[in-house]
Amino acid sequence: MGNRFQVKDRFADGAQYIDGQLRAGTSGRSHTVVDPATGNEVLTYELASTADVDEAVAAAKRAFPAWAGATPGERSDALHRLAAVLTEQAEDFAYAESLQCGKPIRLSTEFDVPGTIDNTAFFAGAARHLQGQAAGEYSGDHTSYVRREAIGVVGSIAPWNYPLQMAAWKILPAIAAGNTIVLKPAELTPLTSLMFAQAAKEAGLPDGVINIVTGAGRTAGEHLVGHPDVVMTSFTGSTAVGKRVAEVATATVKRLHLELGGKAPFVVFDDADVEAAANGAVAASLINTGQDCTAATRAYVQRPLHDAFVARVAELMETVRLGDPFAATTDLGPLVSHAQRDRVADFVERARGYATVVTGGEIPGGDLAEGAYYRPTLITGAAQDSEVVQSEIFGPVLVVLPFDTDDEGIALANDTPYGLAASAWSRDLYRANRATREIQAGCVWVNDHIPIISEMPHGGYKASGFGKDMSVYSFEEYTQVKHVMFDNTAVAAKDWHRTIFGDRP
């Protein structure tokens, strides 16, 4: 990894980034970022207070008029420069992401960091294309057109599972559209969000356009969401917390974007390629140690293929190598914390009472004992209404259930409160196309599961929330649509004035 920077030196001034400067929080409470692979301290910092949030929002509010008034080309150029800075610092970003999250360096270097750079480059281009409906004389006597305008200060909250990418997903469409932002990253994983803001300054973005407050959800987070000068909130996280965010946001009639939990179904029809489906299921259930809201968690396999699929998935899971996130041979790192590992383990232990743990279901010992590791786990024999099928576990756990008819498979796929992502596996075009129509999810893959691209939207149905990240569709969240209408007649007394003046001349 070359010359890794020293985290404590890099953030010696604090873990708040307000108006272009790192500074310490003023809450009087500290928090420690822990390397989940070893349990060692990475950084202890002071959490943000509500006063820190107020200062960050004030900085964003001051920066808004000039940034919103910049031309699309100027904002585009700034984001192109940011993409270049991120590219130059890619190694540092990958190192910090793996250090705070425990994810394998292979994932950070091949997925998280390049994905973020690509997102930045995409929004650099998209900043020039904030289009509205073409001008036209829709009433006959008037010319109408649509303006897309920046809405103001955005207050966003990002999760801990993909700290860099989620920060980018919040920040980029907001600022590309001319808004300014205050982002609250998760306390567990603030490093790369802060680095992203610093990189933006290096790229020449004005101070105050991007601000980071690192604090507790119930204090800094709620204060940010409820702040009267914040006009929109974007939140990614659990459905339970999302409900609280919605309560706070609606009290001040804010625009709201929620990307919440998921319980993605993986539907394998009886004409599918079993080898492809098994490989896809293992990769899609274990990516980021299963800490992915689109991860494959419920595999529904048509009965003729069920046993072969289970056997092959178990065989593949047993080859997955747990280890040091910075080792090139490591396939799976630890979960983000020991608390998260124990939560996952508790789900599996309870499932033993009503289902079969085919493989995994263990906290490893030996060299991995100090880390938050958990072995890849395959469960069969669970009922559709059981906890492991219905609840988001957020760990390296896949549950496999059989189905008989296509109708039943699609019905089971839809039978949870969630609807973020899903996949259908079949060689039959018509069968697969039916699944994409009828499965209730914001993204449905066919014969694959997990890939995302900057040009396409990401967001869910039902309890998985509403609104879109990425793509030009995200501008629907971050812009205000204004209808402008010009009279073309120059006539003082219009026909429609009869509704007031009646038959008077």
Side-chain angles (χ1 to χ4, degrees), residues 250-262:
T250 53
T252 49
V253 198
K254 284 179 172 47
R255 186 178 294 202
L256 187 60
H257 168 217
L258 298 175
E259 200 263 84
L260 306 177

Side-chain angles (χ1 to χ4, degrees), residues 318-373:
E318 288 165 6
T319 69
V320 172
R321 299 165 297 186
L322 280 66
D324 175 4
F326 293 101
T329 55
T330 293
D331 300 319
L332 201 70
L335 288 105
V336 74
S337 68
H338 289 76
Q340 180 64 15
R341 181 204 63 189
D342 292 345
R343 178 180 180 274
V344 171
D346 287 345
F347 268 102
V348 176
E349 289 310 304
R350 290 192 296 270
R352 293 184 193 277
Y354 55 81
T356 299
V357 177
V358 177
T359 189
E362 298 171 348
I363 296 172
D367 294 341
L368 303 180
E370 299 302 316
Y373 290 91

Side-chain angles (χ1 to χ4, degrees), residues 170 232-237 239 242-243 245-247 249-250 254-261 417 419-420 442 457-469 473-474 476-478:
K170 303 299 182 194
M232 176 195 164
T233 289
S234 177
F235 170 80
T236 297
T239 298
K243 290 177 181 178
V245 169
E247 289 174 3
T250 53
K254 284 179 172 47
R255 186 178 294 202
L256 187 60
H257 168 217
L258 298 175
E259 200 263 84
L260 306 177
L420 186 58
H458 178 84
Y461 285 32
K462 303 189 293 186
S464 291
F466 48 81
K468 300 299 180 184
D469 288 310
Y473 291 98
S474 64
E476 301 296 330
E477 320 303 324
Y478 294 100

Side-chain angles (χ1 to χ4, degrees), residues 10-45:
R10 176 73 174 259
F11 300 108
D13 293 331
Q16 317 301 324
Y17 189 84
I18 299 172
D19 207 14
Q21 298 294 326
L22 279 175
R23 47 180 280 184
T26 61
S27 68
R29 295 176 54 217
S30 63
H31 184 84
T32 298
V33 177
V34 174
D35 175 358
T38 62
N40 295 335
E41 175 193 348
V42 173
L43 176 72
T44 297
Y45 65 92

